[in-house]
Amino acid sequence: MTLEEKIKRIKRSFRPLMNGMTAASMRQKGTHYKLNWGVSQMDLQRIAEEYGKDKELAIALWQEDIRECKILATLIMPAEQMSLALAEEWLTQIPTQEMAEWAAFHLFQHIDDITSLALRAIRSDNAMERICGYHILSRSFFKGITLDETSEKVFHESVETSLKDGAMGEKHAAMNSLSRYER
């Protein structure tokens, strides 16, 4: 099956799993995609298992402005094949808090040497990058990663700024990462 055929097949699989109420609720809360089928996380994980890890497919899915395609991309991309440059590119394209959480939890936390990217992300002008950066750091701290003195200073200054000036989702992500760091 060609890459294009896989993508068409995946997109067709969303229709029977569509949840219009979920999609409408997301739109009302400000989550905008070209298409949002409201497919559940369990269904998306099942679809991802059908395709396994596939870098080429993941990159192609990420380019789609469809919520479910982007989520699948984070599940299908083999972390060991994702370069820091590609991770940084994806990070700058994260459209929503939900996607920031998915990318951090299902993909970015598994990339070697991701901490430096996360520290850059929490200093970004983009709120979604900051949220994703905090989630990556939370997972890294959970795994026992420690920060050197300079990185620790950057982390604490960023958390302080986020807690003071950030929106609720950012404050929550910053607080969680600080909590994990202190443990």
Side-chain angles (χ1 to χ4, degrees), residues 56-87:
E56 185 181 27
L57 180 58
I59 290 171
L61 288 169
W62 185 260
Q63 298 309 311
E64 299 287 333
D65 190 17
I66 300 171
R67 171 186 171 265
E68 290 74 11
C69 288
K70 287 196 179 299
I71 290 173
L72 283 175
T74 69
L75 297 171
I76 291 172
M77 173 61 88
E80 67 278 359
Q81 293 180 27
M82 185 169 219
S83 66
L84 280 177
L86 184 58

Short mmCIF file of all heavy atoms in Angstrom, two decimals, residues 56-87:
data_model
loop_
_atom_site.label_atom_id
_atom_site.label_comp_id
_atom_site.label_asym_id
_atom_site.label_seq_id
_atom_site.Cartn_x
_atom_site.Cartn_y
_atom_site.Cartn_z
N GLU A 56 7.68 7.83 7.89
CA GLU A 56 7.16 8.49 6.69
C GLU A 56 5.67 8.80 6.83
O GLU A 56 5.21 9.91 6.51
CB GLU A 56 7.43 7.62 5.46
CG GLU A 56 7.04 8.27 4.16
CD GLU A 56 7.29 7.36 2.95
OE1 GLU A 56 7.27 6.12 3.12
OE2 GLU A 56 7.47 7.91 1.86
N LEU A 57 4.92 7.84 7.33
CA LEU A 57 3.48 8.04 7.52
C LEU A 57 3.23 9.10 8.59
O LEU A 57 2.36 9.97 8.42
CB LEU A 57 2.81 6.72 7.91
CG LEU A 57 1.30 6.75 8.17
CD1 LEU A 57 0.55 7.26 6.94
CD2 LEU A 57 0.81 5.36 8.57
N ALA A 58 3.98 9.08 9.66
CA ALA A 58 3.81 10.06 10.74
C ALA A 58 4.06 11.48 10.23
O ALA A 58 3.28 12.40 10.52
CB ALA A 58 4.74 9.74 11.90
N ILE A 59 5.11 11.66 9.47
CA ILE A 59 5.43 12.99 8.93
C ILE A 59 4.31 13.47 8.01
O ILE A 59 3.89 14.63 8.07
CB ILE A 59 6.80 12.98 8.21
CG1 ILE A 59 7.92 12.83 9.26
CG2 ILE A 59 7.00 14.25 7.38
CD1 ILE A 59 9.30 12.59 8.67
N ALA A 60 3.80 12.59 7.17
CA ALA A 60 2.70 12.95 6.27
C ALA A 60 1.43 13.28 7.06
O ALA A 60 0.74 14.26 6.74
CB ALA A 60 2.44 11.82 5.28
N LEU A 61 1.12 12.52 8.08
CA LEU A 61 -0.07 12.78 8.89
C LEU A 61 0.05 14.12 9.63
O LEU A 61 -0.94 14.84 9.77
CB LEU A 61 -0.31 11.65 9.89
CG LEU A 61 -0.81 10.34 9.30
CD1 LEU A 61 -0.75 9.23 10.35
CD2 LEU A 61 -2.23 10.49 8.76
N TRP A 62 1.25 14.44 10.11
CA TRP A 62 1.45 15.68 10.84
C TRP A 62 1.13 16.90 9.96
O TRP A 62 0.68 17.93 10.45
CB TRP A 62 2.87 15.77 11.39
CG TRP A 62 3.06 16.98 12.25
CD1 TRP A 62 3.65 18.16 11.88
CD2 TRP A 62 2.65 17.15 13.60
NE1 TRP A 62 3.62 19.05 12.93
CE2 TRP A 62 3.01 18.45 14.00
CE3 TRP A 62 2.00 16.33 14.52
CZ2 TRP A 62 2.75 18.96 15.28
CZ3 TRP A 62 1.75 16.82 15.79
CH2 TRP A 62 2.12 18.12 16.16
N GLN A 63 1.34 16.78 8.67
CA GLN A 63 1.11 17.90 7.76
C GLN A 63 -0.38 18.20 7.55
O GLN A 63 -0.73 19.27 7.06
CB GLN A 63 1.77 17.62 6.39
CG GLN A 63 3.28 17.48 6.47
CD GLN A 63 3.96 18.62 7.21
OE1 GLN A 63 3.70 19.78 6.94
NE2 GLN A 63 4.81 18.28 8.18
N GLU A 64 -1.24 17.28 7.90
CA GLU A 64 -2.68 17.46 7.73
C GLU A 64 -3.21 18.36 8.85
O GLU A 64 -2.81 18.22 10.00
CB GLU A 64 -3.40 16.11 7.78
CG GLU A 64 -2.99 15.13 6.71
CD GLU A 64 -3.50 15.50 5.33
OE1 GLU A 64 -4.56 16.17 5.23
OE2 GLU A 64 -2.86 15.10 4.35
N ASP A 65 -4.12 19.26 8.51
CA ASP A 65 -4.75 20.10 9.54
C ASP A 65 -6.02 19.42 10.04
O ASP A 65 -7.12 19.97 9.99
CB ASP A 65 -5.06 21.49 8.97
CG ASP A 65 -5.48 22.48 10.06
OD1 ASP A 65 -5.23 22.20 11.26
OD2 ASP A 65 -6.08 23.51 9.72
N ILE A 66 -5.83 18.19 10.49
CA ILE A 66 -6.92 17.37 11.00
C ILE A 66 -6.47 16.86 12.37
O ILE A 66 -5.40 16.26 12.50
CB ILE A 66 -7.21 16.18 10.05
CG1 ILE A 66 -7.62 16.71 8.68
CG2 ILE A 66 -8.27 15.26 10.64
CD1 ILE A 66 -7.73 15.64 7.60
N ARG A 67 -7.26 17.11 13.38
CA ARG A 67 -6.91 16.74 14.75
C ARG A 67 -6.45 15.29 14.84
O ARG A 67 -5.39 14.98 15.39
CB ARG A 67 -8.11 16.98 15.67
CG ARG A 67 -7.93 16.43 17.08
CD ARG A 67 -9.23 16.57 17.89
NE ARG A 67 -9.13 15.87 19.14
CZ ARG A 67 -9.55 14.63 19.34
NH1 ARG A 67 -10.12 13.94 18.37
NH2 ARG A 67 -9.42 14.06 20.54
N GLU A 68 -7.24 14.39 14.31
CA GLU A 68 -6.95 12.97 14.44
C GLU A 68 -5.66 12.58 13.72
O GLU A 68 -4.92 11.72 14.21
CB GLU A 68 -8.14 12.16 13.91
CG GLU A 68 -9.38 12.24 14.79
CD GLU A 68 -10.15 13.55 14.73
OE1 GLU A 68 -9.88 14.39 13.83
OE2 GLU A 68 -11.05 13.73 15.56
N CYS A 69 -5.36 13.21 12.61
CA CYS A 69 -4.11 12.92 11.89
C CYS A 69 -2.90 13.34 12.72
O CYS A 69 -1.91 12.61 12.81
CB CYS A 69 -4.09 13.61 10.53
SG CYS A 69 -5.20 12.88 9.31
N LYS A 70 -2.98 14.51 13.32
CA LYS A 70 -1.87 14.99 14.14
C LYS A 70 -1.65 14.09 15.37
O LYS A 70 -0.52 13.77 15.72
CB LYS A 70 -2.09 16.44 14.56
CG LYS A 70 -1.89 17.42 13.41
CD LYS A 70 -1.73 18.82 13.91
CE LYS A 70 -1.52 19.82 12.80
NZ LYS A 70 -0.34 19.61 11.99
N ILE A 71 -2.73 13.68 16.00
CA ILE A 71 -2.60 12.78 17.15
C ILE A 71 -1.97 11.47 16.71
O ILE A 71 -1.05 10.96 17.36
CB ILE A 71 -3.96 12.56 17.84
CG1 ILE A 71 -4.40 13.84 18.55
CG2 ILE A 71 -3.89 11.39 18.83
CD1 ILE A 71 -5.80 13.79 19.13
N LEU A 72 -2.46 10.91 15.60
CA LEU A 72 -1.88 9.66 15.09
C LEU A 72 -0.40 9.83 14.79
O LEU A 72 0.40 8.91 15.03
CB LEU A 72 -2.62 9.18 13.85
CG LEU A 72 -3.97 8.52 14.11
CD1 LEU A 72 -4.66 8.20 12.78
CD2 LEU A 72 -3.82 7.26 14.93
N ALA A 73 -0.01 10.98 14.27
CA ALA A 73 1.41 11.21 13.96
C ALA A 73 2.27 11.06 15.21
O ALA A 73 3.35 10.47 15.16
CB ALA A 73 1.59 12.60 13.35
N THR A 74 1.77 11.56 16.36
CA THR A 74 2.55 11.45 17.60
C THR A 74 2.63 10.00 18.08
O THR A 74 3.59 9.63 18.77
CB THR A 74 1.97 12.33 18.73
OG1 THR A 74 0.72 11.81 19.16
CG2 THR A 74 1.84 13.77 18.29
N LEU A 75 1.64 9.20 17.73
CA LEU A 75 1.62 7.80 18.15
C LEU A 75 2.43 6.90 17.20
O LEU A 75 2.98 5.89 17.63
CB LEU A 75 0.18 7.30 18.22
CG LEU A 75 -0.73 7.98 19.24
CD1 LEU A 75 -2.17 7.55 19.05
CD2 LEU A 75 -0.25 7.71 20.65
N ILE A 76 2.48 7.26 15.94
CA ILE A 76 3.11 6.42 14.92
C ILE A 76 4.60 6.73 14.74
O ILE A 76 5.38 5.87 14.37
CB ILE A 76 2.34 6.57 13.58
CG1 ILE A 76 0.96 5.91 13.71
CG2 ILE A 76 3.11 5.97 12.42
CD1 ILE A 76 0.04 6.15 12.52
N MET A 77 5.01 7.97 15.01
CA MET A 77 6.41 8.35 14.81
C MET A 77 7.32 7.58 15.76
O MET A 77 7.14 7.62 16.98
CB MET A 77 6.58 9.85 15.05
CG MET A 77 8.03 10.31 15.03
SD MET A 77 8.90 10.01 13.49
CE MET A 77 8.51 11.49 12.60
N PRO A 78 8.32 6.87 15.22
CA PRO A 78 9.29 6.20 16.09
C PRO A 78 10.21 7.26 16.72
O PRO A 78 10.88 8.00 16.00
CB PRO A 78 10.08 5.30 15.14
CG PRO A 78 9.44 5.40 13.80
CD PRO A 78 8.54 6.58 13.81
N ALA A 79 10.20 7.37 18.03
CA ALA A 79 10.98 8.41 18.73
C ALA A 79 12.46 8.33 18.39
O ALA A 79 13.12 9.35 18.22
CB ALA A 79 10.78 8.28 20.24
N GLU A 80 12.98 7.12 18.23
CA GLU A 80 14.42 6.96 17.94
C GLU A 80 14.78 7.46 16.54
O GLU A 80 15.95 7.68 16.25
CB GLU A 80 14.86 5.51 18.14
CG GLU A 80 14.28 4.51 17.16
CD GLU A 80 12.88 4.02 17.50
OE1 GLU A 80 12.31 4.44 18.52
OE2 GLU A 80 12.35 3.21 16.72
N GLN A 81 13.79 7.67 15.69
CA GLN A 81 14.06 8.18 14.34
C GLN A 81 13.74 9.67 14.21
O GLN A 81 13.91 10.25 13.14
CB GLN A 81 13.25 7.39 13.31
CG GLN A 81 13.69 5.96 13.17
CD GLN A 81 12.86 5.22 12.13
OE1 GLN A 81 12.33 5.79 11.20
NE2 GLN A 81 12.76 3.90 12.30
N MET A 82 13.28 10.29 15.27
CA MET A 82 12.95 11.70 15.21
C MET A 82 14.13 12.52 15.67
O MET A 82 14.57 12.42 16.80
CB MET A 82 11.72 12.02 16.07
CG MET A 82 11.28 13.46 15.92
SD MET A 82 9.67 13.72 16.66
CE MET A 82 8.95 14.84 15.48
N SER A 83 14.62 13.35 14.78
CA SER A 83 15.76 14.21 15.12
C SER A 83 15.27 15.37 15.98
O SER A 83 14.08 15.69 16.00
CB SER A 83 16.39 14.77 13.84
OG SER A 83 15.48 15.64 13.19
N LEU A 84 16.20 16.00 16.67
CA LEU A 84 15.83 17.17 17.46
C LEU A 84 15.33 18.29 16.55
O LEU A 84 14.43 19.04 16.92
CB LEU A 84 17.02 17.66 18.29
CG LEU A 84 17.29 16.88 19.57
CD1 LEU A 84 18.53 17.40 20.28
CD2 LEU A 84 16.10 16.94 20.51
N ALA A 85 15.90 18.41 15.35
CA ALA A 85 15.46 19.43 14.40
C ALA A 85 14.00 19.21 14.01
O ALA A 85 13.20 20.16 13.95
CB ALA A 85 16.35 19.44 13.17
N LEU A 86 13.62 17.97 13.74
CA LEU A 86 12.23 17.67 13.40
C LEU A 86 11.32 17.88 14.60
O LEU A 86 10.22 18.42 14.47
CB LEU A 86 12.09 16.24 12.86
CG LEU A 86 10.71 15.83 12.36
CD1 LEU A 86 10.21 16.76 11.26
CD2 LEU A 86 10.72 14.38 11.88
N ALA A 87 11.79 17.50 15.78
CA ALA A 87 11.00 17.72 17.00
C ALA A 87 10.77 19.22 17.20
O ALA A 87 9.65 19.64 17.54
CB ALA A 87 11.71 17.12 18.21
#
